[in-house]
Amino acid sequence: MNLIESAHQLNPDLNPNTPTVYILRLQSGNLYVGCTQNIFSRLSAHDKGTASRTTRLDRPIVVVWLEKHPSFTSARQRETQIKKWSRAKKEALIDVKVERLRLLSRCQSAHRLREALFQATSLPSDGSFASSQIHHSRSISHAMHSKVDFTRN
């Protein structure tokens, strides 16, 4: 089965001229995240090994996830967001495991908050404590008590 056929299995109503974000599973098992304005043309290029260096060296096996967008700009933003995610989070997206996505997002957000809190509460060697650091620590405190949006990175 080629990539276009696997894309049709995921979305039979796929329109070639719709901005689309996609994830390919490669022969190595790695995931490739991309976006395009013409999904059929791009998948054909991936099949031929002419779309990117990555898919030329590590050939794609199947399209595992697709998402249509109203504009190419929004597709690029989503592609950038997903590329920053961990492999576990991408796999949860592919498997449509919403609860796992939420948990992984909380873990990442909590890790960032702990790092920021540590930096904000570390006193400079001269003993001074800038007002910007006080404001920063209040922002962190507010963020720690607010809900985490799992759709954001």
Side-chain angles (χ1 to χ4, degrees):
M1 171 175 15
N2 68 27
L3 296 178
I4 294 174
E5 291 169 350
S6 67
H8 272 297
Q9 281 190 339
L10 287 174
N11 186 344
D13 301 325
L14 196 58
N15 182 343
N17 297 318
T18 301
T20 307
V21 181
Y22 60 93
I23 301 178
L24 306 175
R25 188 165 310 277
L26 307 178
Q27 284 181 342
S28 66
N30 288 333
L31 299 172
Y32 176 91
V33 180
C35 75
T36 183
Q37 291 187 6
N38 187 325
I39 189 69
F40 297 142
S41 173
R42 186 69 173 166
L43 293 178
S44 179
H46 280 301
D47 263 338
K48 294 174 188 168
T50 59
S52 74
R53 182 177 187 274
T54 300
T55 57
R56 182 175 66 244
L57 300 174
D58 189 2
R59 301 307 295 261
I61 298 170
V62 65
V63 178
V64 292
W65 184 82
L66 292 166
E67 184 177 82
K68 296 187 284 185
H69 282 264
S71 70
F72 186 69
T73 301
S74 69
R76 280 294 282 185
Q77 289 170 343
R78 180 69 162 157
E79 174 196 26
T80 301
Q81 178 189 36
I82 293 170
K83 282 184 174 184
K84 293 177 184 176
W85 289 0
S86 67
R87 179 184 178 91
K89 194 169 176 179
K90 290 174 193 168
E91 292 285 359
L93 176 68
I94 292 165
D95 295 338
V96 193
K97 295 184 177 174
V98 176
E99 287 305 314
R100 180 99 175 116
L101 274 172
R102 284 188 181 124
L103 175 64
L104 290 165
S105 292
R106 285 187 186 120
C107 290
Q108 284 294 89
S109 297
H111 176 72
R112 282 191 216 113
L113 283 171
R114 279 192 301 273
E115 286 180 353
L117 187 58
F118 176 76
Q119 291 172 358
T121 57
S122 296
L123 291 174
S125 58
D126 66 357
S128 65
F129 196 74
S131 63
S132 64
Q133 289 176 310
I134 294 169
H135 175 73
H136 183 64
S137 63
R138 285 184 188 140
S139 298
I140 292 169
S141 176
H142 174 72
M144 291 178 80
H145 292 85
S146 61
K147 289 187 176 182
V148 177
D149 181 359
F150 77 96
T151 60
R152 299 189 67 198
N153 192 11

